[in-house]
């Protein structure tokens, strides 16, 4: 365990089938006007919207409707939300949905009263708020991003040509989050599975970094094993409560800053995935799945010790009579088999990447000097081409 770090996570979680019972008590801590942010209306069809609105009315709140948050929230939508906050003097933003809705709410919170141009200040220059912010609470309906217990806000700016993430400090974390695993059972299979891989990608992005023996990696390995076990069950039976509950809990801990303690992170898979999402508007978790194997096979030799550890401790690969390269490769083969088993997209052509838009994707990739290897532009092209010719859906 090396390095120095501070761990601070102020988000209060309510977990379980009775979690919604606590929403009214939390609402009492904020002023009279609540902006209710949500997506395309699925929460109205599955009853979650009615339950949330009932709690808001019981708590005596004035509700400002903010519908239409898209899966890859845009900066234009953030600007619309900021206007609603200012016009209505909103006291709390309540995000109901998946990670995109919560990411959006944080972006609005930081931007509504920002004295500078928010896109440049936060997402381009990675600055921090110096203005008034609006508290955020969340009711989670789709797992994957971990946004319910972190400061992350990934926003797409099509005019600028980038999809960028900003990790705000603890002041912008949701003040509270309602985690009822049954809410996640309302999500279609495709979105559910995409969320599963998003969780795994968060775990791997933090795992494949650093060379020291690190307690954090042992925690990470346990979370990966739990995720693999539970997703195999849930992919076959999405209504299995225990599996969905374990997945929900793993997703939260996968990206609430715990797993970066004592080590760095990679995040290049996410940069490539964001670029694909910008160009094609494909589902985030699927963009990550489509490029992960080509990326990890490219950098495997640069972090060989960790890939060997991954194979043995996560997948149970036996090392006897094998070279380190063989063990590490077998671990990635196990990862590939699991990805096929749960049904993620592993070919970026199926997500809309073509020869015609390939350079547009490459131009949108931020190359970070992190992980085991800093990519070249040619290597980004190689990864994308490998992804385009990868396994196709059955």
């Amino acid at each position: 365990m090396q390095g120095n770090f501070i761990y601070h996570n102020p988000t209060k979680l309510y977990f379980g089938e009775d979690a919604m019972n606590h929403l009214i008590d939390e609402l009492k801590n904020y002023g009279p006007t609540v902006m209710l942010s949500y997506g395309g209306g699925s929460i109205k069809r599955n009853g979650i919207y009615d339950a949330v609105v009932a709690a808001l009315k019981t708590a005596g709140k004035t509700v400002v409707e903010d519908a239409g948050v898209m899966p890859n929230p845009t900066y234009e939508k953030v600007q619309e939300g900021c206007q609603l906050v200012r016009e209505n003097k909103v006291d709390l933003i309540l995000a109901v949905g998946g990670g995109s809705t919560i990411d959006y709410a944080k972006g609005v919170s930081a931007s509504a009263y920002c004295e500078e141009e928010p896109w440049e200040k936060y997402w381009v220059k990675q600055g921090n708020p110096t203005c008034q912010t609006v508290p955020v609470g969340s009711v989670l309906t789709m797992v994957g991003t971990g946004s319910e217990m972190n400061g992350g806000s990934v926003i797409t700016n099509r005019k600028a040509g980038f999809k960028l993430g900003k990790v705000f400090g603890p002041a912008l974390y949701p003040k509270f989050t309602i985690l009822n695993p049954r809410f996640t059972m309302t999500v279609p299979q495709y979105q559910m599975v995409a969320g599963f891989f998003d969780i795994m990608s968060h775990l791997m992005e933090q795992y494949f970094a650093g060379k020291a023996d690190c307690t954090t990696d042992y925690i990470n390995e346990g979370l990966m094993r739990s995720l693999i076990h539970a997703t195999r069950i849930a992919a076959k039976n999405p209504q299995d409560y225990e599996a969905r509950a374990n997945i929900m809990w793993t997703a939260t801990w996968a990206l609430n800053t715990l797993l970066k303690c004592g080590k760095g992170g990679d995040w290049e898979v996410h940069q490539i995935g964001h670029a694909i999402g910008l160009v094609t508007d494909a589902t985030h978790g699927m963009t990550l799945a489509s490029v992960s194997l080509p990326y990890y096979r490219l950098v495997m030799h640069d972090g060989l010790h960790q890939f060997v550890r991954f194979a043995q401790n996560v997948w149970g690969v036996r090392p006897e009579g094998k070279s380190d390269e063989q063990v590490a490769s077998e671990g990635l083969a196990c990862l590939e088999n699991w990805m096929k088993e749960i049904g993620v997209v592993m070919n970026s052509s199926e997500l809309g990447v073509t020869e015609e838009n390939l350079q547009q994707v490459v131009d949108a990739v931020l190359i970070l000097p992190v992980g085991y290897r800093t990519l070249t532009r040619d290597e980004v092209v190689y990864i994308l081409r490998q992804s385009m010719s990868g396994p196709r859906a059955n």
Side-chain angles (χ1 to χ4, degrees), residues 220-241:
N220 196 328
E221 288 164 355
L223 290 170
M224 283 192 273
R225 290 198 301 270
S226 175
L227 180 69
I228 292 161
H229 172 74
T231 54
R232 282 173 167 157
I233 296 170
K236 295 177 181 177
N237 179 15
Q239 301 303 310
D240 188 299
Y241 179 85

Side-chain angles (χ1 to χ4, degrees), residues 23-100:
L23 179 57
I24 295 174
D25 292 335
E26 280 295 332
L27 292 172
K28 293 175 182 177
N29 297 322
Y30 303 94
T33 305
V34 176
M35 185 164 85
L36 178 59
S37 299
Y38 57 96
S42 62
I43 64 169
K44 290 187 175 180
R45 295 188 296 272
N46 59 36
I48 296 173
Y49 173 89
D50 290 338
V52 171
V53 169
L56 288 164
K57 290 182 176 179
T58 300
K61 303 300 181 183
T62 298
V63 180
V64 177
E65 289 271 344
D66 179 28
V69 181
M70 57 288 292
N72 292 303
T74 65
Y75 185 55
E76 291 77 13
K77 179 62 179 174
V78 169
Q79 291 174 307
E80 291 176 13
C82 290
Q83 186 173 349
L84 283 174
V85 165
R86 292 190 297 266
E87 289 176 350
N88 295 279
K89 298 181 180 179
V90 168
D91 299 296
L92 172 72
I93 303 171
L94 182 61
V96 182
S100 293

